[in-house]
Amino acid sequence: MRSTSRATSAWRFAVVVFAILASLQYAIETFHAPRALRSGTPDAALFNGSFLRERGPTTFVVDSLPSASPLIGAGVVPGDRLRWDEPIGRWYNVPIGEHAALTVIHGSESRRIDVTMPAAGDARRYTVANYVMDSVSRLAALALGVLIGWRRPDLVAFRWLAVAGLLQGCVFPYSAPAVAHLPWLDFVSSLSQELSLGAIVFFAINYPDDKPVGWRAILKHFYPWYFGAQVAVALYYYSRLYSGIYEPATSWFFRVDVLVQPALFCGALVLAWRRARGEPRIRLQWILATLGTITIASLMGTLNAMAGFPLPAEVTGLILNVAVLAAIGGFFYAVMRRRIFDFGLAVNRTLVFAIVGAILLGVFQVANRVVSSFLHFDDENKTILLSAILAVAVYLSFGQLKRIVEKLVDRMFFSSWASREEELKRFVAEAKHATDAEALSALLVAAMDRFTGAAGSALYRRQEGGHYRRTMASFDGTPGAVGPNDEAVLAMLAHRKAWRIRESSSSMRAMLAVPMAHRGDLEGFVLLGPRDDREPYRADQIEQLESATHELGLDFHALRIHQLDAEVEAERRTAETLRAQLQTAMAMASRDRPLQG
């Protein structure tokens, strides 16, 4: 158990570290993206061409020259070869006006020239839209990688799915200038992009239980060797490329790999789907429809590039980015709403605030940009005042927008739990009118079972002597009585909060104990059994349970007080009757005494 815990901690630590590195690259790229996307601000292409497919220093072949290229004035013509002083300098987004030193090779002659980067004209069609969609997709992949890696480190399938998401989210910052690049991190990003598709194949082979059969079992045995070869080839290629040497010997492997990986991924999932039945089959259908779409879109984009872009790159990129973004949205929906991975996510309020914050930030930016475009303020103080007014408006609208988004989120992702919460609240309101404690106990256990989806519950109430007796239960394994020194009882007395008892030394065999505390005393508590999906109760669910049991505890306390009042009243009436009878007897006795005398 200890080694498993250590392995899980080490895995989560690695996930967090890599996510930080990927987030750093993403931040570098995003920060410099506006400069690279605005018309007239980024550098224009010096030439059109590709790698020289020969082993040696990284060299590019000039196929054609744009009309504004300064290489024309330097005497460069199509067919010449170019070498940058920086090994991968062509990838750097050099700012306008900066100088770039390179070597021009014409036949057997070579010479060094220094050119000034020109301004680009209008951006290509759909450039901004493609960039935004691609950035959102990569950010979503990174978020999913962290989420899956943290929540499900128990299975090999989920670990590899997390690895694929993290690798895909580690972008190369093409928009950043040379001074903003970290060479070692660029190297990691290049490897990540090359290996992300191979990593997700492990998920397809091992999902859902790490016990594939048939052809998938054969793949599980041999595929690690193929992936190891892919890692070795990628390491060799990029280590040479980052040192300034182009290696064409690996080109055939990359061309084959882009065809093999999607085929293995889709084939493994189809094999798993054919064997699955019931709910696992539905989950695999969602995975095929979402992750399969992403894989096929990546394959189509690669094939179009390998064929020399017979379809316009801008239009193809737009279509594929829309498909990928829709597939990621569908995958998020399947995870949140359909629970295809059973994460037990406590994301209700977190998701609400994230959506509200993103909407308000976008509204603020758009409003600021629109108003600024119509009201051309020359005074800095007026601009600051405008920003302050917009900020106040956004702040004042936060509450209303939060309520709207919360309803939408609950309806889309948490509709079943939202309806159960409403039903539990309705029961709590109706329980105040109960007149019998035993009947209320039965109703409480039934309400808890409805809220937890028949997880099972047991109600304990304090008796004389401090012990807690089970008055009603809907699942077996709970003790008939619990002592005042039980660990869970002491914890609820100390903290007045629900206590997770699954792994404690308490005698109560349940997952959660929810207290009924009143004025420093523990009037009773409710035990809840494990959920069907074996996941812990979410924080918002526990909060609702705590509120309900607290109110029910007050109701039981009121019934007990009412019962005591009734008993006191009955005793008072009995005492008055006895007193009257005594007085009557004494009066009769006093009248009979003289007669006897």
Side-chain angles (χ1 to χ4, degrees), residues 220-540:
K220 184 175 183 177
H221 180 74
F222 289 102
Y223 181 74
W225 294 97
Y226 178 83
F227 185 73
Q230 184 188 20
V231 173
V233 170
L235 280 170
Y236 174 69
Y237 173 79
Y238 282 106
S239 61
R240 297 274 287 173
L241 185 63
Y242 274 77
S243 65
I245 303 298
Y246 178 75
E247 180 54 66
T250 59
S251 300
W252 69 271
F253 184 87
F254 290 135
R255 286 195 295 269
V256 171
D257 189 61
V258 297
L259 302 176
V260 170
Q261 300 287 11
L264 290 177
F265 175 79
C266 294
L269 283 181
V270 169
L271 289 173
W273 174 80
R274 292 182 61 183
R275 286 183 172 272
R277 295 293 183 272
E279 184 64 25
R281 190 182 183 95
I282 297 176
R283 294 180 178 184
L284 283 165
Q285 288 174 351
W286 277 100
I287 294 172
L288 269 170
T290 55
L291 299 184
T293 298
I294 296 173
T295 305
I296 297 302
S298 175
L299 174 63
M300 292 177 62
T302 303
L303 292 177
N304 190 45
M306 292 174 61
F309 295 102
L311 301 175
E314 297 83 1
V315 178
T316 304
L318 180 67
I319 296 173
L320 296 182
N321 278 324
V322 170
V324 169
L325 199 59
I328 290 178
F331 188 73
F332 265 105
Y333 174 81
V335 170
M336 300 291 189
R337 181 70 178 87
R338 306 293 301 186
R339 302 291 195 271
I340 62 172
F341 290 153
D342 292 334
F343 286 155
L345 302 175
V347 297
N348 194 334
R349 282 145 181 85
T350 302
L351 186 61
V352 167
F353 281 105
I355 294 175
V356 171
I359 292 175
L360 289 180
L361 181 60
V363 169
F364 177 79
Q365 294 293 338
V366 171
N368 194 18
R369 181 67 60 86
V370 171
V371 175
S372 299
S373 62
F374 285 100
L375 304 177
H376 302 284
F377 290 139
D378 298 327
D379 188 357
E380 182 179 355
N381 293 328
K382 293 182 180 179
T383 303
I384 295 175
L385 178 60
L386 172 63
S387 299
I389 293 174
L390 292 174
V392 171
V394 170
Y395 173 77
L396 294 177
S397 63
F398 181 84
Q400 184 65 26
L401 184 60
K402 174 184 175 297
R403 286 191 291 271
I404 295 174
V405 175
E406 188 170 19
K407 290 181 180 179
L408 293 175
V409 170
D410 280 339
R411 183 176 301 174
M412 180 174 295
F413 297 118
F414 304 94
S415 58
S416 60
W417 278 108
S419 62
R420 293 176 187 178
E421 286 184 4
E422 290 299 323
E423 186 176 358
L424 184 60
K425 290 179 181 178
R426 185 167 55 253
F427 167 74
V428 170
E430 296 169 353
K432 298 183 183 301
H433 302 283
T435 58
D436 182 76
E438 293 300 323
L440 182 58
S441 298
L443 292 174
L444 171 59
V445 169
M448 289 295 175
D449 288 345
R450 289 193 300 270
F451 180 77
T452 60
S457 58
L459 173 62
Y460 288 77
R461 295 182 60 197
R462 189 174 62 179
Q463 307 297 313
E464 293 183 4
H467 285 73
Y468 295 87
R469 183 176 64 87
R470 185 185 65 200
T471 60
M472 194 68 61
S474 61
F475 73 112
D476 299 329
T478 57
V482 176
N485 294 315
D486 188 274
E487 179 190 13
V489 172
L490 296 176
M492 288 185 286
L493 278 169
H495 305 293
R496 304 290 190 272
K497 296 289 185 181
W499 178 253
R500 298 183 187 273
I501 58 177
R502 180 170 51 179
E503 296 180 358
S504 73
S505 59
S506 172
S507 62
M508 296 179 282
R509 297 295 178 259
M511 178 174 285
L512 192 69
V514 191
M516 293 180 174
H518 177 66
R519 290 183 175 270
D521 295 328
L522 186 64
E523 299 287 340
F525 54 87
V526 176
L527 291 184
L528 297 176
R531 292 168 44 179
D532 291 339
D533 54 14
R534 316 306 298 180
E535 290 293 331
Y537 291 92
R538 300 196 314 263
D540 57 325

Side-chain angles (χ1 to χ4, degrees), residues 139-150:
L139 182 60
L142 180 59
L144 281 171
V146 174
L147 173 65
I148 297 171
W150 187 269

